[in-house]
Amino acid sequence: MANACRYLFTSESVTPGHPDKVCDQVSDAILDDIIGQDPNSRVACETLATTGLVLLAGEITTNAYCDFQKIVRDTVREIGYTHAHFGFDYETCCVLSSIHEQSPDIAMGVNDSPDHEQGAGDQGLMFGFACRETEVLMPLPIMLAHNLARQLTDVRKGAILPYLRPDGKTQVTIEYEGDVPKRVAAVVIAAQHDGDVKMDDLRADIRSRVIDAVIPEGMIDQETMFFINGTGRFEQGGPLADSGLTGRKIIVDTYGGFSSHGGGCFSGKDPSKVDRSGSYMARYVAKNLVAAGLADRLEVQLAYCIGIAEPVSLMVDTFGTGKIPEVKIKEIIRAHFPLTPKGMIAHLDLKKPRYKKSAAFGHFGRMEPEFSWEKTDKAEAIRRDAGL
């Protein structure tokens, strides 16, 4: 390890009040409401937010009734846009909807029938990843960035720093030696704030109440750099300052750029869309394989064709850390994990409302009960099958 190269890697996260995350949460709140009434619904709900406006678009086929106005306004209120002087608030924003049904050409390949197993809702490729850098088997940079974003939100909502507003971003740079994270090289935080707070006070508060509360003391040294509200002012934020769109934070949602990403977003999509269910299953597979000891770092790729149940490809990469051949690992995956849309949905129990919570602070590395794809319940059986 003494000869291992040193390098920097950076990941970012955002708070629930970031415009793109507002849209992700609205889309997933609508999904939760609909599948809570009709679990077999087909939902692809996109949201755009800008000054004074939330626009819904997409395709929904369901027997449920969804009060779009109420769900949008409730979600915006819960996030914290509750005052007109924020430039965007739940009471006065305009809510428009342009929703139609799913194309019958897609439905004929996706719906289950006696002579046709449910096929993938679209073509595409999905990745899952796990590593031993953290207890939840996630890369350290993205987990620290998420934890900072959560802490930034908690001190705002808990009125510990009452001058903060909902919008915010975090970023963490880790210095690695080989595959081992050694130190935090830089922390970047942008926190929206009221106009009357002094920037020196804000920076001191963010350092003590957010950064020092999250970053392990042993990871910070005299050379660690801290950047808090780099322009010196972040009063105007949220959809007033920057339009938001569903699915524009896919790297925040997954592994912070540490692993590959197929390109499809998750939020607003029911689990028949393999962008979502396939990515969740790929993470479940990777996490169980690493938890079983088959590798220290592992990436899984799945790929699908629209209307076809079985994946068209399965790839495993252990980055040289595998304890058994990758060909054998693929055999174990096929033996232990269902990879068809119907099998993935049933195994991970994906037809229940659980998605709004995933739309902030990342979809992976979460130990709340709703995140069924984070379980390592197959690790022991896999370990035995691998002969470890």
Side-chain angles (χ1 to χ4, degrees):
M1 184 59 70
N3 296 323
C5 67
R6 283 184 175 262
Y7 60 94
L8 301 178
F9 191 90
T10 302
S11 294
E12 72 162 351
S13 185
V14 297
T15 65
H18 185 281
D20 294 330
K21 275 290 148 204
V22 170
C23 295
D24 286 344
Q25 290 165 96
V26 166
S27 292
D28 272 340
I30 289 170
L31 171 63
D32 277 349
D33 182 74
I34 289 174
I35 65 171
Q37 302 174 62
D38 179 5
N40 294 316
S41 298
R42 297 286 183 260
V43 180
C45 180
E46 310 286 348
T47 304
L48 178 147
T50 187
T51 306
L53 172 67
V54 177
L55 172 64
L56 305 177
E59 302 79 44
I60 298 177
T61 301
T62 183
N63 293 318
Y65 169 74
C66 183
D67 187 340
F68 294 129
Q69 289 275 340
K70 183 177 187 306
I71 290 174
V72 170
R73 296 185 191 282
D74 285 350
T75 302
V76 172
R77 174 180 53 79
E78 291 166 8
I79 290 169
Y81 287 107
T82 55
H83 301 288
H85 66 265
F86 289 175
F88 183 81
D89 73 282
Y90 78 102
E91 290 183 304
T92 64
C93 67
C94 176
V95 179
L96 300 179
S97 173
S98 180
I99 301 286
H100 56 276
E101 289 189 338
Q102 183 184 67
S103 163
D105 297 341
I106 297 174
M108 65 184 294
V110 176
N111 293 338
D112 214 8
S113 68
D115 58 350
H116 181 270
E117 182 178 351
Q118 177 179 349
D122 200 354
Q123 71 177 52
L125 49 144
M126 302 86 216
F127 290 91
F129 181 77
C131 63
R132 294 196 173 278
E133 290 182 19
T134 60
E135 290 185 358
V136 293
L137 305 184
M138 285 283 288
L140 182 61
I142 187 64
M143 294 311 297
L144 288 179
H146 284 325
N147 291 342
L148 287 170
R150 188 183 292 275
Q151 182 70 5
L152 193 61
T153 301
D154 289 346
V155 297
R156 172 180 65 85
K157 288 192 169 184
I160 296 170
L161 302 181
Y163 55 77
L164 292 180
R165 292 181 178 178
D167 199 356
K169 302 179 76 172
T170 64
Q171 185 172 289
V172 177
T173 301
I174 297 292
E175 182 175 347
Y176 283 81
E177 185 175 351
D179 292 335
V180 180
K182 303 299 289 186
R183 57 183 289 272
V184 173
V187 177
V188 179
I189 290 185
Q192 188 191 12
H193 56 85
D194 290 342
D196 56 358
V197 65
K198 295 180 179 179
M199 192 51 53
D200 287 344
D201 293 338
L202 180 146
R203 286 171 173 156
D205 287 344
I206 295 295
R207 175 65 194 270
S208 63
R209 297 287 190 170
V210 179
I211 296 174
D212 291 347
V214 169
I215 305 296
E217 185 177 353
M219 295 292 289
I220 293 176
D221 57 30
Q222 291 183 344
E223 296 183 358
T224 301
M225 297 180 291
F226 301 95
F227 303 92
I228 301 171
N229 284 22
T231 70
R233 182 183 180 91
F234 187 10
E235 183 178 351
Q236 192 174 98
L240 172 65
D242 186 13
S243 61
L245 289 170
T246 298
R248 206 158 55 176
K249 286 291 176 283
I250 56 176
I251 300 303
V252 171
D253 286 341
T254 53
Y255 307 100
F258 209 88
S259 174
S260 306
H261 194 290
C265 79
F266 304 153
S267 291
K269 296 178 180 177
D270 76 85
S272 73
K273 279 72 172 174
V274 286
D275 280 336
R276 183 161 224 159
S277 54
S279 295
Y280 288 174
M281 178 55 75
R283 163 64 177 170
Y284 178 64
V285 171
K287 188 174 183 181
N288 274 272
L289 293 173
V290 170
L294 272 63
D296 295 328
R297 178 177 298 193
L298 187 143
E299 183 177 85
V300 174
Q301 185 199 52
L302 301 172
Y304 291 87
C305 172
I306 188 169
I308 306 301
E310 289 288 343
V312 298
S313 73
L314 165 64
M315 182 277 293
V316 175
D317 188 353
T318 63
F319 307 96
T321 70
K323 306 303 187 286
I324 63 174
E326 291 174 0
V327 172
K328 175 63 175 176
I329 294 177
K330 289 174 66 173
E331 293 174 358
I332 289 174
I333 292 173
R334 287 290 191 178
H336 288 268
F337 298 95
L339 300 180
T340 65
K342 184 175 182 179
M344 295 187 298
I345 290 168
H347 190 83
L348 298 178
D349 198 19
L350 297 180
K351 285 189 178 182
K352 292 181 179 178
R354 61 183 55 204
Y355 297 108
K356 183 181 175 183
K357 183 180 284 190
S358 72
F361 311 121
H363 294 245
F364 306 130
R366 308 280 293 273
M367 298 313 295
E368 299 98 315
E370 296 92 341
F371 293 77
S372 55
W373 49 92
E374 291 295 313
K375 296 178 181 178
T376 54
D377 51 341
K378 286 187 172 289
E380 185 57 38
I382 289 170
R383 187 179 297 112
R384 290 195 303 268
D385 198 3
L388 299 179

